Amino acid sequence: MIIQIFGKKSCNDTKKAQRYFKERGIKTQFINLLEKEISEGELKVITKKIDLEMLLDIDGNEYKKRNLKYMVYDVKELLCEYPALYKTPIVRFKSEVTLGNQPEIWKNWEIK
């Protein structure tokens, strides 16, 4: 099974995640959220481990740019419509999922 990294090319934490696995010779699949959205099935797997609300980057520039702080919205619809609002990277291996740069967790994954 391959490691999936969902992120944005411009995200420093996404770059750190890619570098972490590359340095260890572990193959990854990078999914650029600005080009390809997370499928319904993948989102179900991810949200079993991470609450949907946690996936929304409320500290990011896109959130501020869209002035969402005082608006009422459906998080899932918002993320589907504006994937730049995802907090990244989302790293997935089998049923394990992490959000952000989490090398202390990744090192415990039994990757073969």
Side-chain angles (χ1 to χ4, degrees):
M1 180 120 198
I2 197 164
I3 301 281
Q4 289 181 307
I5 301 174
F6 298 89
K8 298 169 258 186
K9 288 182 180 180
S10 61
C11 173
N12 286 332
D13 281 343
T14 298
K15 291 175 189 175
K16 287 177 189 176
Q18 289 176 301
R19 187 171 45 249
Y20 175 88
F21 292 109
K22 184 177 182 180
E23 287 173 352
R24 286 153 183 81
I26 300 168
K27 292 190 181 241
T28 63
Q29 175 189 20
F30 174 67
I31 297 94
N32 185 349
L33 293 172
L34 301 180
E35 295 176 2
K36 186 176 190 271
E37 65 184 64
I38 295 177
S39 74
E40 190 70 33
E42 290 166 335
L43 191 57
K44 278 185 183 179
V45 171
I46 292 167
T47 55
K48 283 182 182 178
K49 297 285 184 175
I50 300 168
D51 289 336
L52 189 61
E53 290 77 23
M54 295 291 296
L55 296 175
L56 184 63
D57 188 3
I58 60 173
D59 296 322
N61 292 332
E62 192 69 21
Y63 188 86
K64 292 171 187 161
K65 182 175 114 180
R66 298 195 177 278
N67 202 24
L68 295 169
K69 188 173 183 176
Y70 301 107
M71 296 179 80
V72 176
Y73 49 81
D74 178 275
V75 175
K76 186 175 179 181
E77 286 180 17
L78 192 65
L79 289 171
C80 287
E81 192 170 346
Y82 305 106
L85 291 169
Y86 274 102
K87 191 179 290 185
T88 56
I90 301 166
V91 181
R92 180 175 166 224
F93 175 65
K94 297 182 181 177
S95 64
E96 298 296 323
V97 181
T98 61
L99 182 60
N101 190 24
Q102 303 283 337
E104 64 281 354
I105 295 173
W106 302 333
K107 72 179 180 182
N108 295 318
W109 289 355
E110 294 184 26
I111 304 165
K112 297 184 184 193

